[in-house]
Amino acid sequence: MHQFTTVIDSLETALKDAAGLDPAFLSPDDAGETLLALRRIQGRITELVLRVMSAGQPLADESAARDVAGWLVAREVADARPAHRELRLAQALARWEATRAALAAGDIGLEHASVIVQVLDDLAADPSGSPGAEVLARAEAHLLQLATEHRPSDLRRLAVHLLEVAAPEVADDADARALARAEERARRKVSMSITPIGDGLTKIYAVVPTAVGERLRTMVEAYAQPRIAALEAVGQTRSRHRILADAFGQLLETIDPARLPAHGGDATTVVVTVGLDRLRTDLTGAGLGVADLGGEKITAAEARRLACTAKILPAVLDGRSEPLDLGRAKRLFTPAQRKALRLRDRRCRAEGCTVPAAWTDAHHLDPWSRGGTTDLDNGVLFCHHHHRCAHDPAYDLTRLANGDYRFHRRR
């Protein structure tokens, strides 16, 4: 009988004995010790599984499987991706004996081990030359020490400075090469999709290089912070992810199409198609994009709001769907007019709102879509929230003596 069989029999017996035990009767101290001990044992058993997998190619050859992961997928009716991920880890642990031994002894967990072998493999795979066995051994020892003090996510970040500690004599050159490789991998993995999902929503998914992500985060947070401050000023809160989504929308609305590349032979412009009668009423919607090509729908109220500030071109159609007015030269308030409005209004002029003028939109009191002029007497500053409400057909506006505007929900 092979020694592995004896070990497995012992484990099976112990697990059978534990099957009827009720952890509810453990004291808090005993429960804590038991949980930590079982987690260590779980890691040690996983290491044992991975060790057998790393030596399992002859098993795969017996059944013509590509590798032992393929054999497991067939026998366990399992998903292929997790099995191959385990096989890659098993093969990596076979290359880094100290890490495998620490996992087998229960000194580190599986997640720590995964981070360590990935960092070491990247270091050893430097196409300009591996740092050498001695440097790699020092690096592994340093990572194992860090693993006893830091979470796996923190360990991955600390690994950026690995060679500065383990091998300062080669750190600068190796770090520069590693950074270049990471940036190249990032460029190969970038991805983005923009998919309408119905119910007035579109799902945006993107994987971008860190530098691009940081730029976007900084820009979005610049619009999010005023929203957070405004909510805090009135004792309100809103979930962060919703604030960021609103801020992202406001960021897009401030982009000047004149500074974008030509798109389809013309300036990059989003077109809102809407019939003249529809624009004058609140009964029906507008087409966002080219309606004949399956453009999405938005409300006429939203189309009018966008016409105030966003670089969006309203294409007003008559009853025969022929263009009547493709934009108006003075649709948007000029920078000089914006400055004058800020000096006059100083903040969002909705009653009780404290959002400062720098964070507001210029709104046409007599809608531009209904012939209103773009001049100071027809303009007022509203924050993004109140600007949306001003175009919501559910509300009426009343001007107060102090220049503020009170919103009334229509009955």
Side-chain angles (χ1 to χ4, degrees):
M1 180 181 294
H2 195 282
Q3 192 172 358
F4 266 104
T5 304
T6 303
V7 170
I8 292 170
D9 287 344
S10 299
L11 289 172
E12 290 277 10
T13 299
L15 290 172
K16 287 178 181 177
D17 292 341
L21 300 179
D22 189 348
F25 293 103
L26 288 171
S27 69
D29 289 342
D30 288 342
E33 292 179 4
T34 300
L35 184 58
L36 291 174
L38 288 173
R39 293 278 290 178
R40 285 194 297 272
I41 292 171
Q42 182 181 35
R44 299 179 74 173
I45 292 176
T46 300
E47 184 278 328
L48 193 58
V49 172
L50 296 175
R51 200 186 329 160
V52 174
M53 287 185 70
S54 69
Q57 187 57 41
L59 170 64
D61 294 340
E62 285 291 321
S63 58
R66 190 182 302 274
D67 49 39
V68 70
W71 183 89
L72 278 172
V73 167
R75 291 302 181 95
E76 293 186 338
V77 196
D79 289 331
R81 184 171 296 178
H84 283 92
R85 186 167 56 242
E86 288 181 359
L87 178 58
R88 287 193 296 273
L89 178 56
Q91 293 167 339
L93 286 171
R95 293 189 291 272
W96 305 105
E97 175 57 28
T99 303
R100 187 207 61 76
L103 181 61
D107 296 334
I108 62 172
L110 187 63
E111 292 184 11
H112 282 107
S114 299
V115 171
I116 292 172
V117 298
Q118 181 180 349
V119 170
L120 293 172
D121 277 346
D122 285 347
L123 193 59
D126 189 338
S128 301
S130 172
E134 182 181 351
V135 170
L136 290 171
R138 295 207 306 267
E140 185 176 16
H142 182 64
L143 287 170
L144 288 170
Q145 176 60 39
L146 291 175
T148 64
E149 304 165 357
H150 300 279
R151 298 185 184 94
S153 56
D154 295 332
L155 180 61
R156 192 181 301 277
R157 287 192 291 270
L158 291 170
V160 172
H161 307 287
L162 172 63
L163 287 182
E164 293 178 11
V165 178
E169 68 277 9
V170 299
D172 288 344
D173 289 343
D175 283 349
R177 293 192 297 269
L179 183 59
R181 291 197 304 275
E183 290 181 351
E184 179 58 31
R185 285 197 300 269
R187 282 192 287 269
R188 291 196 301 267
K189 293 180 179 179
V190 296
S191 173
M192 185 173 188
S193 63
I194 303 175
T195 309
I197 57 177
D199 199 24
L201 295 171
T202 291
K203 181 178 181 180
I204 302 174
Y205 174 82
V207 177
V208 297
T210 299
V212 176
E214 281 299 299
R215 287 181 66 189
L216 178 60
R217 182 183 63 79
T218 301
M219 292 176 181
V220 171
E221 287 185 348
Y223 285 94
Q225 193 58 43
R227 295 169 179 274
I228 296 172
L231 288 169
E232 290 177 347
V234 295
Q236 297 178 1
T237 60
R238 196 162 186 243
S239 62
R240 180 176 176 81
H241 67 274
R242 291 186 177 178
I243 290 176
L244 290 177
D246 287 343
F248 179 59
Q250 190 173 4
L251 168 64
L252 294 180
E253 289 183 12
T254 62
I255 295 174
D256 184 355
R259 306 183 69 176
L260 296 176
H263 183 68
D266 199 355
T268 301
T269 307
V270 176
V271 178
V272 175
T273 55
V274 59
L276 181 60
D277 291 339
R278 294 182 180 184
L279 191 62
R280 288 174 172 167
T281 67
D282 298 311
L283 299 178
T284 55
L288 184 61
V290 183
D292 291 343
L293 299 180
E296 295 298 307
K297 291 289 187 181
I298 59 174
T299 63
E302 179 70 355
R304 285 193 293 274
R305 184 190 71 81
L306 291 173
C308 282
T309 55
K311 306 299 189 293
I312 290 182
L313 185 64
V316 182
L317 311 178
D318 65 12
R320 295 170 296 178
S321 295
E322 295 177 348
L324 284 179
D325 184 1
L326 200 61
R328 190 187 302 262
K330 296 294 185 181
R331 182 179 76 257
L332 303 179
F333 287 93
T334 67
Q337 287 175 312
R338 284 276 310 178
K339 290 185 177 70
L341 287 170
R342 289 184 185 185
L343 288 172
R344 187 195 71 188
D345 291 349
R346 298 183 180 275
R347 59 172 175 81
C348 170
R349 297 306 301 192
E351 183 183 22
C353 188
T354 59
V355 173
W359 304 336
T360 58
D361 301 332
H363 170 68
H364 292 77
L365 291 168
D366 183 12
W368 175 91
S369 58
R370 299 180 185 177
T373 58
T374 303
D375 55 39
L376 297 182
D377 289 341
N378 192 42
V380 65
L381 296 184
F382 283 142
C383 67
H384 192 68
H385 168 74
H386 285 110
H387 192 191
R388 189 177 296 278
C389 291
H391 286 283
D392 188 335
Y395 291 98
D396 280 324
L397 285 177
T398 299
R399 191 176 190 275
L400 304 180
N402 66 351
D404 282 354
Y405 286 83
R406 178 174 293 168
F407 287 79
H408 308 270
R409 184 173 289 277
R410 292 177 178 174
R411 302 300 179 186

